[in-house]
Amino acid sequence: MLYGLQYAYSASKKNIKPWLITFQNEYTTNLIKTFKIKEFKELSNWLEKEYLGFYDSTSSLALLLDNNYQIKNQEFDHNIKTRTGISDNKDGIEFNKLISKFTNEVNYNMFFESNNKMYQKTLKDVVKLPSNFNVQDIEEFYGYKKGSYNIILSPLIAGAFGISNNDDLYCIKGMYLKENEYYSQETFIFNLFHEFSHPYVNPLYDKYKNKFKVTNKFLEEAKVNGLESSYKGIATLINEYVVRANEYILAKKYINLDYYIENNKKRGYTYIDLLINLIKERKNNYVNYEEFYLKEVIPFFNRLRR
């Protein structure tokens, strides 16, 4: 519902967000017709504030809603503010009022049910994993289990991203590579290991960031070599490097990775092969992943500083 709102709103402004699909199909056409976003002036004004302006804020807000699309927790702590942009009870009450009016007037539940066959077909066509696939490979690799593993598919998202809610992990993934063309099984496995790895890796950077000696020259070199513009900071680049290297180690059990390293080098991860080799050769020498990160991963990046 929230991604539908964002899609309908940004389509009405002819300014589709980069993390939403850019094409229209029968589903999006019906969605725009049903949502009638221009008739909800107050809701449009609320959306204009960019509360749902980012992929992670939209999904984080969704996790806070109950079955009636109302915010479950009115205690707006710092985490909620950071994740959703909704800063206080007043904003939350306003959101609840606007969403209640919207979902009732457009009969969102009926729209959702009317697409159930499409949703079920999508699950069958898109969620294809090898018979020997074991998500517990993640726990074995990092040495411990965080929480539940959750996959959420959307016909509106381009690509994939991950968030965590307490210790529960979420891989939120689009369906389409292009119009009427689904992402491949290989991409699906990459996305799972990638997004489920971020909640393990990112906190380690936050904990030890003062030990990194990497300068902006490292970031600029990555940009020259093809780094996507959405990756704007050193922290993001380092986290992506580590997650992609770990993703390679985890995914190679299931799929062909002949072009993985070269493709990532073309996307700005110039030293990804060296990091992968480091993991292969030295990770098992340490009692736990955090010790390996501290004693090997951080020095690896510090050696690359320019």
Side-chain angles (χ1 to χ4, degrees):
M1 185 268 287
L2 292 181
Y3 280 112
L5 272 177
Q6 183 57 263
Y7 185 87
Y9 174 76
S10 56
S12 73
K13 297 293 185 180
K14 295 182 171 54
N15 183 27
I16 301 292
K17 299 291 183 181
W19 38 270
L20 294 171
I21 60 172
T22 55
F23 56 84
Q24 288 197 6
N25 53 25
E26 183 179 357
Y27 178 76
T28 59
T29 300
N30 289 337
L31 183 147
I32 291 171
K33 182 179 178 181
T34 301
F35 278 29
K36 300 178 289 189
I37 195 66
K38 291 182 179 180
E39 296 182 13
F40 296 89
K41 300 296 184 185
E42 289 182 282
L43 183 57
S44 292
N45 291 338
W46 192 87
L47 290 167
E48 193 173 349
K49 296 178 184 178
E50 293 289 326
Y51 285 131
L52 302 182
F54 304 95
Y55 56 86
D56 52 347
S57 59
T58 306
S59 53
S60 294
L61 181 54
L63 292 176
L64 296 176
L65 302 186
D66 61 23
N67 290 334
N68 294 315
Y69 315 110
Q70 302 290 286
I71 296 175
K72 290 179 285 191
N73 180 9
Q74 290 292 329
E75 297 298 323
F76 286 86
D77 60 17
H78 174 73
N79 190 39
I80 293 175
K81 294 178 185 178
T82 302
R83 289 163 59 192
T84 68
I86 297 178
S87 59
D88 54 34
N89 285 336
K90 182 180 177 181
D91 281 343
I93 292 169
E94 177 70 7
F95 169 83
N96 286 343
K97 181 184 74 173
L98 294 174
I99 293 301
S100 289
K101 180 180 179 181
F102 169 78
T103 52
N104 288 332
E105 291 193 16
V106 304
N107 200 344
Y108 176 73
N109 287 343
M110 182 177 289
F111 172 80
F112 184 85
E113 291 298 327
S114 71
N115 287 286
N116 190 53
K117 287 184 179 180
M118 185 273 281
Y119 299 145
Q120 294 303 319
K121 183 178 186 301
T122 298
L123 288 172
K124 182 179 178 181
D125 292 343
V126 177
V127 184
K128 294 180 178 178
L129 293 169
S131 59
N132 65 331
F133 182 79
N134 187 355
V135 74
Q136 292 178 342
D137 290 347
I138 295 168
E139 299 161 31
E140 182 178 342
F141 184 86
Y142 292 107
Y144 68 101
K145 177 178 172 61
K146 274 189 166 288
S148 64
Y149 302 101
N150 304 273
I151 303 166
I152 297 176
L153 298 182
S154 171
L156 299 173
I157 294 171
F161 55 88
I163 61 170
S164 58
N165 187 41
N166 297 319
D167 273 342
D168 294 328
L169 309 182
Y170 291 81
C171 173
I172 301 173
K173 178 172 172 49
M175 295 157 32
Y176 297 108
L177 178 61
K178 299 175 183 176
E179 185 174 4
N180 298 321
E181 182 181 342
Y182 290 133
Y183 281 100
S184 66
Q185 181 190 74
E186 286 77 10
T187 303
F188 194 80
I189 291 174
F190 279 142
N191 290 156
L192 290 186
F193 285 133
H194 187 105
E195 306 307 346
F196 289 153
S197 286
H198 270 299
Y200 285 95
V201 169
N202 292 21
L204 292 176
Y205 177 87
D206 295 338
K207 183 176 181 178
Y208 296 114
K209 61 184 176 183
N210 291 334
K211 295 185 178 294
F212 284 93
K213 308 300 180 185
V214 179
T215 69
N216 278 329
K217 289 183 179 179
F218 178 60
L219 178 61
E220 293 305 315
E221 180 186 36
K223 289 180 179 179
V224 169
N225 289 327
L227 185 70
E228 296 163 65
S229 59
S230 56
Y231 298 136
K232 297 179 180 179
I234 287 178
T236 304
L237 176 59
I238 290 174
N239 287 335
E240 280 295 311
Y241 246 108
V242 177
V243 165
R244 286 167 189 261
N246 293 350
E247 167 192 325
Y248 176 95
I249 300 295
L250 289 163
K252 68 185 179 67
K253 174 180 175 181
Y254 301 105
I255 54 179
N256 186 305
L257 295 169
D258 287 349
Y259 302 103
Y260 182 91
I261 291 175
E262 200 57 39
N263 286 343
N264 273 275
K265 284 188 172 185
K266 291 177 182 177
R267 299 178 67 181
Y269 303 96
T270 311
Y271 309 102
I272 190 74
D273 54 334
L274 301 181
L275 182 55
I276 288 171
N277 288 336
L278 178 72
I279 297 169
K280 288 179 177 178
E281 294 170 4
R282 300 186 185 178
K283 175 180 173 293
N284 290 336
N285 295 340
Y286 293 89
V287 174
N288 56 54
Y289 183 80
E290 182 171 349
E291 184 181 0
F292 168 71
Y293 186 93
L294 181 61
K295 300 288 182 63
E296 297 287 354
V297 173
I298 294 174
F300 170 84
F301 284 101
N302 289 343
R303 290 193 295 270
L304 297 178
R305 65 178 177 166
R306 296 291 186 267

